[in-house]
Amino acid sequence: MAQEGGLCLDDEGRRQDAVRPDKIYPTDDAPPQNYGRDIPSAIVDFRGSLVSNHLLQPVASNQKVRKASRISYWDHYFRDGWDDIGIWKSAFIECVATCFLCFLSGLIGITLAGFETSQTPAYVGVINVFLLTLFIMASGPGSGGHINPMITLATMTTGLTGFSRGVMYIVGQVVGAALAGGLLRGSMGVYRTAE
């Protein structure tokens, strides 16, 4: 293990999230320091992830070289991943993140519309910039931070996201947005949401 810039790296240069094993302290009484995250977590490892490609550790899927024929590649593209519980968990994270984003955005829009100002769309647009950034960074390590079916469709089209992951993400995102609409209608009433 080597240390670079306050990070603990293993022999292959990947970031380690645990406490350094070679604790060197000025005194024997000094408390241990954690050079990684407090709670180690796995980052979703696929090429279409919007977050993992920008972190310090290299993503293993970016280093793979495809040596299979085109037919076996397409066969794997459509068939792989349906039984992977990690992809299902990531799709659930996309569903929850999309639901929260749509609910908060709609709630803010309805609240601002009650003030009868003509700038409501501008306010909602600026607030959505911050909400979208927040939810991408919050859900990114768990799902890749797509949150939008168009982003998922674009990464599927370019081959960065597998077919099974993309379909599950799009279904999760659409269900999350529909659930947010239902929650808004139920919490704010028909009159306020139909304006």
Side-chain angles (χ1 to χ4, degrees), residues 15-143:
R15 181 175 151 189
Q16 296 296 309
D17 291 330
V19 177
R20 281 189 354 186
D22 56 340
K23 298 173 185 155
I24 303 170
Y25 306 115
T27 65
D28 292 335
D29 300 329
Q33 295 178 346
N34 188 348
Y35 284 91
R37 291 185 289 254
D38 291 333
I39 301 171
S41 62
I43 295 174
V44 176
D45 184 17
F46 69 102
R47 293 183 300 159
S49 175
L50 301 178
V51 176
S52 66
N53 293 334
H54 303 291
L55 297 176
L56 295 175
Q57 66 186 20
V59 179
S61 62
N62 286 342
Q63 299 168 356
K64 292 179 183 175
V65 177
R66 299 197 187 274
K67 295 183 179 176
S69 69
R70 281 186 92 105
I71 294 173
S72 70
Y73 170 74
W74 287 109
D75 185 46
H76 289 294
Y77 179 77
F78 288 110
R79 297 175 111 193
D80 283 351
W82 293 104
D83 58 350
D84 186 2
I85 192 70
I87 295 176
W88 286 94
K89 288 178 182 179
S90 296
F92 179 73
I93 291 170
E94 286 286 322
C95 178
V96 170
T98 305
C99 180
F100 284 157
L101 175 67
C102 292
F103 180 78
L104 285 175
S105 177
L107 187 67
I108 291 168
I110 290 170
T111 304
L112 289 175
F115 289 110
E116 297 179 7
T117 179
S118 62
Q119 291 90 10
T120 299
Y123 292 139
V124 172
V126 170
I127 290 170
N128 273 333
V129 168
F130 294 109
L131 283 177
L132 191 57
T133 303
L134 172 73
F135 281 107
I136 287 174
M137 289 299 138
S139 66
S143 68

Side-chain angles (χ1 to χ4, degrees), residues 172-191:
Q173 292 156 353
V174 170
V175 167
L179 184 61
L183 288 172
L184 274 172
R185 177 62 64 102
S187 63
M188 302 300 282
V190 176
Y191 176 72

